[in-house]
């Protein structure tokens, strides 16, 4: 991720990172939906953003907001 200030990540890069993390955790983690949601939200906050997830048995919808209102949505 490029540096856009302490604790801040550009929306596009943060969304890509969280999207791939969500895919990875759904596929390989035994955490369950609550664990995936907790990790994704926590990492989004760490990088100055906010993430909302909707997890179902075979996929997820991820919405990431970072910076000033920049939002990305993705179904995985």
């Amino acid at each position: 991720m490029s540096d856009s200030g302490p604790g801040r990540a550009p929306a596009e890069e943060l969304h890509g990172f969280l999207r791939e993390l969500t895919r990875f955790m759904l596929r390989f983690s035994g955490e369950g939906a609550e664990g995936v949601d907790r990790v994704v939200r926590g990492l989004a906050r760490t990088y100055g953003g906010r993430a909302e997830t909707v997890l179902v048995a075979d996929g997820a919808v991820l919405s990431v907001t970072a910076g000033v209102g920049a939002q990305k949505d993705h179904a995985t």
Side-chain angles (χ1 to χ4, degrees):
M1 288 185 214
S2 63
D3 185 37
S4 61
R8 298 271 179 216
E12 192 75 29
E13 291 183 16
L14 181 59
H15 180 265
F17 170 69
L18 294 174
R19 180 187 64 234
E20 293 306 314
L21 176 66
T22 300
R23 283 183 181 162
F24 180 84
M25 289 186 73
L26 286 173
R27 185 168 295 148
F28 300 110
S29 174
E31 287 290 316
E34 289 180 17
V36 172
D37 181 60
R38 185 174 48 250
V39 168
V40 170
R41 285 176 181 246
L43 283 170
R45 274 192 309 272
T46 298
Y47 288 101
R50 192 180 88 217
E52 299 292 329
T53 59
V54 176
L55 301 162
V56 294
D58 58 351
V61 175
L62 174 66
S63 177
V64 177
T65 304
V68 182
Q71 182 170 334
K72 294 286 292 180
D73 299 316
H74 185 81
T76 188

